[in-house]
Amino acid sequence: MKIVVVLVLIQACWRCAEAHPLDPLTPSELNLVRTIITNSYPTSSSSNLTFQHVALDEPDKPQILSWLSSKSMAPPLPPRRAFVIARFQKQSLEITVDLSTRSIISTRVYKGHGFPTLTFVEQGLVSQLPFSYEPFKDSLNKRALNMSQVVCAAFTVGWFGEEKTKRVVKVKFGIPVPKAEGTEYRLSKLKPPFGPKLNGVGAIISLASIYDIEKQRYREVLYRGFISEVFVPYQDPTEEWYYTTYFDCGEYGFGQSASSLEPLTDCPPNAHFLDAFYADANGNPVKITNAFCIFEKHAGDIMWRHTEIAIPNQLITEVRADVSLVVRMVSTVGNYDYVIDWEFKPSGSIKFGVGLTGILGMKGGTYINTDQIKGETDIHGTLLADNTIGVYHDHFFTYYLDLDIDGQRNSFVKTTLQTQKVKDPKIPRKSYWTTVSETAKTEADGRVKLGLEAAELAVVNPNKKTKRGNKTGYRLLPGSVAHPLLVSDDYPQIRGAFSNYNVWVTPYNKSEKWAAGLFVDRSRGDDTLAVKSRKNREIENEDIVLWYTMGLHHVPSQEDYPVMPTLSVGFELRPTNFFEANPVLKAIVN
Amino acid sequence: MKIVVVLVLIQACWRCAEAHPLDPLTPSELNLVRTIITNSYPTSSSSNLTFQHVALDEPDKPQILSWLSSKSMAPPLPPRRAFVIARFQKQSLEITVDLSTRSIISTRVYKGHGFPTLTFVEQGLVSQLPFSYEPFKDSLNKRALNMSQVVCAAFTVGWFGEEKTKRVVKVKFGIPVPKAEGTEYRLSKLKPPFGPKLNGVGAIISLASIYDIEKQRYREVLYRGFISEVFVPYQDPTEEWYYTTYFDCGEYGFGQSASSLEPLTDCPPNAHFLDAFYADANGNPVKITNAFCIFEKHAGDIMWRHTEIAIPNQLITEVRADVSLVVRMVSTVGNYDYVIDWEFKPSGSIKFGVGLTGILGMKGGTYINTDQIKGETDIHGTLLADNTIGVYHDHFFTYYLDLDIDGQRNSFVKTTLQTQKVKDPKIPRKSYWTTVSETAKTEADGRVKLGLEAAELAVVNPNKKTKRGNKTGYRLLPGSVAHPLLVSDDYPQIRGAFSNYNVWVTPYNKSEKWAAGLFVDRSRGDDTLAVKSRKNREIENEDIVLWYTMGLHHVPSQEDYPVMPTLSVGFELRPTNFFEANPVLKAIVN
């Protein structure tokens, strides 16, 4: 009579009872990484070396699994390693550091296209540059603007077919909001300490398993899951805006952009908060307060119920209230705030929520009323306020979901619902539907565009069946399906080609984590999931990864100004013949 | 600084401060209706007259609106009237009763196809019939079944092309569940009083408006909304199952099937409960306890937030926690329990939730393992337990949504997102999307199959614009899109033709409430929304009704047995240029 419990390990550790091989790097480990690397580049001026990305180089899956399975004997941790991307003498270096031996075990000079994620230091420096540039200062004077009220921001520029590229950002006036009523959204003037930010990819859920009350043991579900990329192409083809086709993870860092969560408003009163650490551009650890919160969600939902009225003179009603466990982070990438929820239900379902809020991408314009927009003129957005246009754009959230259902070897099964004609002349009905299941053999079979046909998509373990003979599995219940509207040979769409399908399935490969590739700034799309999938590898009864892209097209409305009421989208992974029966039939929730 | 409030009037009244013309019939009014009608049919034996449906005949819209607008002067209520469907001498009568004059003002003998909703008395009588039928008793004996443990249930039989029809139900063994472990779902043996049930259509939301804090007044949004039909075709073409193609509202009564809500489990601790009354088959009022609950939902969601990091040496974070108002009912139609939520957000969004739980439609079978199913055999479902198959089926929920955005005259606007090629040779990007809006002129323009193209659907008031010149409106954010898979000339699909499109728009007509028609049992599809829409009436700048069908195909899984963990689906109506700006910018939620 105990309620099922979900084991959650995330990329942050709040007084962990014991060390786990997937723990993120601690402050002392981050310091050690910095020391090891700066020692190896002693001749260069230190200002010449910058840390763009410092994260745990997680042990290989077999090491983790053997550590897990022998856990009762307190086995030693696998070697702790760090993966670092550094810039040194205008080159991008991929460095792997072994912390136990305090040594660099591999260094690779990246020769391909694209550049690493921008650091905050770089973005800050770039944003200040215009203020020492005389023509810019003149221009401010000419407009009678007070320099202290002007903000510049650094934007990635993408790639549009240039033969040679270098690291470049474009600097734009930060939102030239007119002094209109209704643009102030602060309750009070605020709070000094400059924002702690988290590096890496944001929330990583590792080794999520579920306790099977009948089998009396934990069963594997998700080896590792995270948001791999968020592709946000704006839809204004003019000189000032055409290049705004952001990759929020690869260019800006979705974890680096995490906001400290505010108790009682960002998370409910019963939330627990977790701090985290990242390495700044100099390799120094920076503490982040309240990077994550974890809470039990009591939303008033019903876990299951039934009222039975068919039995004469008896009324049977059984109801169980629902409660779930939510892991939340908020990533603020420039103007947009993404509320990322991982919701674990006692029934075994995992719900993935994204709340979109924050400030729209806006541009100035000469209009104050739509009547002024004449004829064929396209303003590429919605007029929100005086001289303020909210620009059309998309959001494509690509989730990396390494499902290991009851073990590593899994298959991807697509079950289509097909109309059949009734053949029996005694039956007056003409038609019905039935299911036809196909197991994907290679990556080509694993690509799915949703919405074209009625289908169920599941990852199953073909080697584990229920007593009834059904393969144990988890089903994808998609949400907010969108398809890209750019032409496929357009540069942003080549770089964002992982959005061409809503679902991809690849064989597990530790190095294949990033839907847009590892060096995304100014990338040319030669390292995307779409390119990797072309290898058409075997995926049947293999260790496979499900990539799901949830998307939405955003036509702004005036309500989205000046701060957007949260728009919520989400999808669900739901056990399907994973359990022998309803796993919460015996749940008691108080 | 007050939070916006939504005015909600529902088909039940909990110590109303004053009478409202849309109040449902009170017990004394129900008694009066019974008296008036039985007095008018004195010569017949009383057992010959049955009340199939008794509900308020709501006043015409102009009467309601004039009552509302002159409310401050405490105007008299419009005449109270009841609409009754009765069976008398094997005929269906549509009777309108005026309660103030205590008279029948119209009677119509319905000559068309189809029959009214089954009453519980009828279903109960039918379910007992087999027990006095000798061959049935013999068959129980032959199977060594104890009669006290056998339950029979009455199922509607649909229409499959017969020239003549009469009122018939089929009686099936109630779920022949084998004595397997895990089928018991009661925590304890239970609770006598036989179930209060609600007649009519379930929750009706009337006159939902929102307080505009800037304009300092309530603004109209939804004149009336309710679930008009729930079409549930099962997908087993065999003799025993082909006819199971239920219309849960028209055949069984979605309100009549309401379950009494259990405090603390069906609704959270802060819920308020509302009783309701209905007329039984003899016309007597029956009280229902806790037919609805209303509660503030504190789910830990974020209403809006932003962290601003672009301003040097300043970190600005503003967050508002979300809270919403939920109106809930649960309709248990035979085996299935539908949790119907209307969620009103302070931002003006209305979220429509349906939770599917309860017991699957199941059939017996000879199998205990899928290995036994040979070759081409199709069991039309999923093997859930010994000899137990959960049958494939669909659910199509058709919502009637009489939006009156800022007044009655509205238009339906479809805005498609269309790919454009970049023509300016100086711009290296190749493509973008933009919006093309079309206003529906007639009903044919208002039919939409979702999923075929990227589009935004909105109901707008073309006569009311924001200061920016945008038409005030509400947008439909669809959820769980499904299309019927039966062939269109199949009898169930002719009767359920309103599911052929996900969206329909019709001109408001007080008599057009029922997507499947008024007499649905054994109907022939000649009174459906699809037939009405063929008139192709004008819908531009008219009083219009939006019909939205949310659907899902259900391939059962073992987890759905013996009681299904709630599967949640939903959609949203969201203000779009209805407000000048974010209406909850100044909200303070404690």
Side-chain angles (χ1 to χ4, degrees):
Chain A
M1 290 294 184
K2 65 178 290 227
I3 191 164
V4 289
V5 173
V6 179
L7 176 67
V8 180
L9 297 164
I10 70 163
Q11 183 79 325
C13 190
W14 185 63
R15 294 187 193 164
C16 289
E18 60 178 310
H20 191 286
L22 292 173
D23 281 345
L25 297 175
T26 63
S28 60
E29 288 176 326
L30 289 169
N31 275 322
L32 186 55
V33 170
R34 189 201 62 233
T35 304
I36 293 167
I37 293 184
T38 51
N39 283 348
S40 296
Y41 294 87
T43 55
S44 64
S45 73
S46 66
S47 66
N48 208 9
L49 177 80
T50 58
F51 293 79
Q52 312 290 131
H53 174 89
V54 182
L56 176 75
D57 180 33
E58 80 258 20
D60 291 336
K61 207 186 252 199
Q63 289 182 289
I64 296 289
L65 296 173
S66 91
W67 180 85
L68 274 178
S69 60
S70 62
K71 203 177 170 193
S72 58
M73 300 177 292
L77 288 180
R80 294 282 287 173
R81 291 178 176 173
F83 177 71
V84 177
I85 298 178
R87 287 286 291 177
F88 184 69
Q89 293 173 343
K90 303 209 172 187
Q91 288 188 312
S92 295
L93 306 181
E94 298 175 47
I95 304 171
T96 305
V97 175
D98 187 295
L99 292 167
S100 51
T101 60
R102 298 178 173 239
S103 59
I104 290 174
I105 55 175
S106 79
T107 304
R108 179 179 167 232
V109 179
Y110 177 70
K111 299 284 194 191
H113 299 300
F115 301 100
T117 306
L118 309 180
T119 67
F120 276 108
V121 170
E122 289 165 348
Q123 292 183 55
L125 287 172
V126 163
S127 303
Q128 289 309 305
L129 275 179
F131 294 104
S132 56
Y133 182 59
E134 289 302 330
F136 180 73
K137 293 201 296 201
D138 292 347
S139 125
L140 293 187
N141 285 334
K142 208 160 58 187
R143 288 173 171 81
L145 289 171
N146 180 340
M147 204 184 292
S148 71
Q149 296 193 324
V150 172
V151 170
C152 294
F155 296 93
T156 54
V157 300
W159 173 72
F160 292 89
E162 305 91 323
E163 270 304 304
K164 287 193 175 181
T165 53
K166 54 182 180 177
R167 293 189 84 201
V168 172
V169 290
K170 288 209 183 184
V171 180
K172 278 203 256 177
F173 269 105
I175 315 153
V177 185
K179 286 196 193 304
E181 279 185 293
T183 60
E184 175 67 82
Y185 59 88
R186 295 169 293 179
L187 265 187
S188 56
K189 304 283 174 181
L190 276 187
K191 297 166 189 171
F194 196 84
K197 294 287 153 268
L198 174 71
N199 217 330
V201 295
I204 299 177
I205 303 293
S206 297
L207 299 171
S209 58
I210 186 158
Y211 189 78
D212 186 323
I213 197 170
E214 295 300 327
K215 293 191 163 58
Q216 298 273 317
R217 61 179 173 80
Y218 285 96
R219 296 172 61 192
E220 296 165 69
V221 176
L222 183 75
Y223 182 77
R224 213 168 167 95
F226 53 86
I227 294 181
S228 174
E229 193 51 89
V230 180
F231 176 36
V232 188
Y234 282 78
Q235 301 298 337
D236 183 335
T238 59
E239 177 65 27
E240 295 76 22
W241 273 81
Y242 76 85
Y243 61 87
T244 55
T245 54
Y246 303 125
F247 294 83
D248 282 345
C249 294
E251 292 179 344
Y252 292 98
F254 214 60
Q256 178 168 274
S257 303
S259 284
S260 282
L261 299 172
E262 306 264 322
L264 302 182
T265 48
D266 271 325
C267 309
N270 63 334
H272 292 270
F273 291 86
L274 289 85
D275 298 336
F277 295 87
Y278 78 103
D280 68 12
N282 298 317
N284 293 314
V286 180
K287 182 181 173 176
I288 299 136
T289 309
N290 298 353
F292 302 101
C293 71
I294 300 185
F295 58 91
E296 278 194 357
K297 180 173 171 177
H298 298 262
D301 294 331
I302 297 171
M303 183 190 277
W304 61 263
R305 84 176 314 285
H306 184 56
T307 296
E308 183 56 58
I309 56 164
I311 303 167
N313 306 316
Q314 254 197 310
L315 178 73
I316 302 170
T317 296
E318 291 282 336
V319 191
R320 301 294 176 277
D322 203 15
V323 61
S324 58
L325 186 71
V326 175
V327 180
R328 173 172 294 172
M329 72 168 292
V330 171
S331 199
T332 303
V333 187
N335 48 310
Y336 251 104
D337 298 54
Y338 300 108
V339 183
I340 309 298
D341 281 358
W342 290 70
E343 183 177 353
F344 297 90
K345 290 196 164 282
S347 65
S349 272
I350 308 175
K351 287 197 165 187
F352 302 77
V354 175
L356 294 101
T357 176
I359 295 180
L360 290 172
M362 290 180 278
K363 64 174 182 175
T366 56
Y367 308 107
I368 58 168
N369 191 288
T370 55
D371 288 347
Q372 300 167 313
I373 304 166
K374 297 299 176 198
E376 297 291 292
T377 304
D378 190 341
I379 62 169
H380 309 294
T382 305
L383 187 63
L384 303 174
D386 283 357
N387 312 118
T388 308
I389 294 162
V391 179
Y392 301 146
H393 59 280
D394 303 313
H395 299 268
F396 295 100
F397 301 91
T398 301
Y399 281 76
Y400 172 103
L401 299 165
D402 180 6
L403 287 160
D404 283 359
I405 306 295
D406 275 331
Q408 284 67 62
R409 289 187 176 273
N410 286 181
S411 292
F412 177 67
V413 176
K414 182 175 169 185
T415 300
T416 51
L417 278 48
Q418 300 185 355
T419 301
Q420 306 288 318
K421 295 287 181 75
V422 173
K423 298 202 183 73
D424 182 346
K426 294 195 302 293
I427 302 294
R429 180 163 157 178
K430 297 181 180 176
S431 63
Y432 62 102
W433 58 256
T434 194
T435 57
V436 178
S437 291
E438 281 180 297
T439 300
K441 309 280 185 218
T442 66
E443 289 177 280
D445 304 328
R447 297 172 203 141
V448 181
K449 285 187 193 179
L450 292 167
L452 304 179
E453 57 185 355
E456 304 241 337
L457 305 177
V459 172
V460 304
N461 188 327
N463 317 297
K464 297 279 167 68
K465 292 184 176 176
T466 62
K467 288 178 206 158
R468 304 294 146 214
N470 296 308
K471 292 169 189 160
T472 67
Y474 261 67
R475 188 161 45 120
L476 173 70
L477 299 179
S480 197
V481 173
H483 303 288
L485 294 171
L486 297 183
V487 298
S488 61
D489 67 342
D490 201 353
Y491 301 105
Q493 196 56 41
I494 292 168
R495 300 173 68 217
F498 51 88
S499 62
N500 290 348
Y501 290 90
N502 305 98
V503 173
W504 309 74
V505 181
T506 60
Y508 172 79
N509 179 323
K510 197 182 129 182
S511 73
E512 295 182 12
K513 294 180 191 170
W514 310 110
L518 186 57
F519 293 88
V520 181
D521 179 38
R522 313 214 70 191
S523 68
R524 301 189 181 188
D526 48 19
D527 188 28
T528 67
L529 171 59
V531 172
K532 280 159 190 153
S533 170
R534 274 191 222 138
K535 295 178 198 160
N536 205 19
R537 295 161 289 190
E538 305 272 334
I539 54 171
E540 185 180 8
N541 200 15
E542 298 281 351
D543 188 356
I544 56 176
V545 176
L546 180 74
W547 306 73
Y548 171 60
T549 297
M550 175 168 64
L552 59 100
H553 307 293
H554 192 173
V555 177
S557 71
Q558 287 186 233
E559 286 79 3
D560 298 338
Y561 177 84
V563 183
M564 177 180 172
T566 304
L567 179 71
S568 297
V569 292
F571 66 100
E572 181 176 351
L573 287 173
R574 191 172 171 98
T576 299
N577 303 317
F578 182 81
F579 295 103
E580 295 291 340
N582 178 345
V584 285
L585 197 72
K586 296 180 183 172
I588 300 171
V589 182
N590 292 312
Chain B
M1 288 292 183
K2 64 178 289 224
I3 191 164
V4 287
V5 173
V6 178
L7 174 67
V8 180
L9 296 164
I10 71 164
Q11 183 78 326
C13 192
W14 186 61
R15 294 187 193 163
C16 289
E18 59 177 313
H20 191 286
L22 291 173
D23 282 345
L25 297 175
T26 63
S28 60
E29 288 175 327
L30 288 170
N31 276 323
L32 186 54
V33 170
R34 189 201 61 230
T35 304
I36 293 167
I37 293 184
T38 51
N39 284 348
S40 296
Y41 294 85
T43 55
S44 64
S45 74
S46 65
S47 68
N48 208 10
L49 178 79
T50 57
F51 293 79
Q52 311 291 132
H53 174 89
V54 181
L56 177 75
D57 180 34
E58 80 258 19
D60 291 337
K61 207 187 255 201
Q63 289 181 287
I64 296 289
L65 297 173
S66 91
W67 180 85
L68 273 177
S69 61
S70 61
K71 205 177 171 192
S72 58
M73 300 176 292
L77 289 179
R80 294 283 286 172
R81 291 180 176 172
F83 177 71
V84 177
I85 297 179
R87 288 284 294 176
F88 184 70
Q89 294 174 341
K90 303 209 171 188
Q91 288 187 312
S92 296
L93 307 181
E94 298 175 45
I95 304 170
T96 306
V97 175
D98 188 293
L99 293 167
S100 50
T101 60
R102 298 178 175 236
S103 60
I104 291 174
I105 56 176
S106 79
T107 304
R108 178 178 166 233
V109 179
Y110 177 69
K111 300 284 194 191
H113 300 301
F115 302 100
T117 306
L118 308 180
T119 67
F120 277 107
V121 169
E122 288 164 348
Q123 293 183 55
L125 288 174
V126 164
S127 303
Q128 289 309 306
L129 276 180
F131 295 104
S132 55
Y133 183 58
E134 289 303 327
F136 180 74
K137 293 200 297 199
D138 292 346
S139 128
L140 294 187
N141 284 333
K142 209 160 59 186
R143 289 171 171 81
L145 290 171
N146 182 338
M147 203 184 292
S148 71
Q149 296 193 325
V150 171
V151 169
C152 294
F155 297 93
T156 54
V157 300
W159 173 73
F160 290 90
E162 304 90 323
E163 270 304 303
K164 289 197 174 175
T165 54
K166 54 182 179 176
R167 293 189 83 201
V168 172
V169 291
K170 288 206 185 186
V171 179
K172 278 203 257 177
F173 269 104
I175 317 154
V177 184
K179 286 198 192 305
E181 279 184 291
T183 59
E184 175 64 82
Y185 59 88
R186 296 168 293 179
L187 264 188
S188 57
K189 304 283 175 177
L190 276 186
K191 299 170 189 168
F194 196 84
K197 295 284 154 272
L198 175 70
N199 218 330
V201 297
I204 300 177
I205 302 293
S206 297
L207 299 172
S209 58
I210 186 158
Y211 189 78
D212 186 324
I213 197 170
E214 295 302 327
K215 294 192 161 60
Q216 299 271 319
R217 61 177 172 82
Y218 285 95
R219 295 171 62 191
E220 296 165 69
V221 176
L222 183 74
Y223 182 76
R224 210 167 170 98
F226 54 86
I227 293 182
S228 173
E229 194 50 89
V230 180
F231 177 35
V232 188
Y234 282 78
Q235 301 297 337
D236 183 335
T238 61
E239 177 64 27
E240 295 76 21
W241 273 81
Y242 76 85
Y243 62 87
T244 54
T245 54
Y246 303 124
F247 294 83
D248 282 346
C249 294
E251 292 179 343
Y252 293 99
F254 215 58
Q256 177 167 275
S257 304
S259 284
S260 281
L261 299 171
E262 305 263 322
L264 303 182
T265 48
D266 270 324
C267 309
N270 62 335
H272 291 270
F273 291 86
L274 288 85
D275 299 335
F277 295 87
Y278 78 101
D280 67 13
N282 298 316
N284 294 314
V286 180
K287 182 181 175 180
I288 300 140
T289 309
N290 297 355
F292 303 101
C293 71
I294 300 185
F295 59 92
E296 278 195 358
K297 179 174 172 177
H298 298 262
D301 293 332
I302 298 171
M303 182 192 276
W304 60 264
R305 82 176 315 285
H306 185 55
T307 296
E308 182 56 59
I309 58 165
I311 302 166
N313 306 318
Q314 254 198 310
L315 178 73
I316 303 169
T317 296
E318 291 281 337
V319 190
R320 301 294 177 275
D322 203 14
V323 62
S324 57
L325 186 71
V326 175
V327 180
R328 173 173 294 171
M329 73 168 292
V330 171
S331 199
T332 303
V333 186
N335 49 309
Y336 252 102
D337 297 54
Y338 300 108
V339 183
I340 308 298
D341 280 358
W342 289 70
E343 183 178 353
F344 297 90
K345 291 195 165 282
S347 64
S349 273
I350 306 176
K351 287 197 165 187
F352 301 76
V354 176
L356 294 100
T357 177
I359 295 182
L360 289 172
M362 291 181 278
K363 64 174 182 176
T366 56
Y367 308 107
I368 59 168
N369 190 287
T370 54
D371 289 346
Q372 301 167 313
I373 305 166
K374 298 299 177 198
E376 299 290 292
T377 305
D378 190 341
I379 63 169
H380 309 295
T382 305
L383 186 63
L384 302 174
D386 284 357
N387 312 118
T388 307
I389 294 163
V391 179
Y392 301 147
H393 59 281
D394 303 312
H395 298 268
F396 295 99
F397 301 91
T398 301
Y399 281 76
Y400 171 103
L401 299 165
D402 180 6
L403 288 159
D404 283 359
I405 306 294
D406 275 331
Q408 285 65 63
R409 291 188 175 272
N410 286 182
S411 293
F412 177 68
V413 177
K414 182 176 170 185
T415 300
T416 51
L417 278 50
Q418 301 186 354
T419 301
Q420 307 288 317
K421 296 288 181 74
V422 173
K423 299 203 180 73
D424 182 346
K426 293 195 303 294
I427 301 294
R429 179 163 159 177
K430 297 180 180 176
S431 62
Y432 63 101
W433 59 256
T434 193
T435 57
V436 178
S437 291
E438 280 180 296
T439 299
K441 309 279 185 219
T442 66
E443 289 177 280
D445 304 329
R447 298 173 203 140
V448 181
K449 286 186 192 182
L450 292 167
L452 305 178
E453 58 184 354
E456 304 240 337
L457 306 178
V459 172
V460 304
N461 187 327
N463 316 299
K464 296 281 167 68
K465 292 184 176 177
T466 62
K467 286 179 207 157
R468 302 298 144 213
N470 297 309
K471 291 168 191 159
T472 67
Y474 262 68
R475 188 161 45 120
L476 173 70
L477 299 179
S480 196
V481 172
H483 303 288
L485 294 171
L486 297 183
V487 297
S488 61
D489 66 342
D490 202 353
Y491 300 104
Q493 196 56 42
I494 292 169
R495 301 173 68 217
F498 51 89
S499 61
N500 290 348
Y501 290 90
N502 305 100
V503 173
W504 308 75
V505 181
T506 59
Y508 171 79
N509 178 323
K510 197 182 130 184
S511 73
E512 296 182 12
K513 295 179 189 172
W514 309 111
L518 185 58
F519 293 89
V520 181
D521 179 38
R522 314 213 71 190
S523 68
R524 302 187 180 188
D526 48 18
D527 189 28
T528 68
L529 171 59
V531 171
K532 281 160 190 152
S533 171
R534 273 190 223 139
K535 296 179 199 160
N536 205 20
R537 294 162 288 189
E538 305 273 334
I539 55 171
E540 184 178 8
N541 200 13
E542 298 283 350
D543 188 355
I544 57 175
V545 176
L546 179 74
W547 306 73
Y548 171 60
T549 297
M550 173 166 67
L552 59 98
H553 306 295
H554 191 173
V555 177
S557 71
Q558 287 187 232
E559 286 79 4
D560 297 339
Y561 178 84
V563 182
M564 177 181 173
T566 304
L567 178 71
S568 297
V569 292
F571 66 100
E572 181 176 351
L573 287 174
R574 192 173 170 96
T576 299
N577 303 317
F578 181 81
F579 295 103
E580 296 290 340
N582 179 345
V584 284
L585 198 73
K586 296 180 183 172
I588 300 171
V589 181
N590 291 314

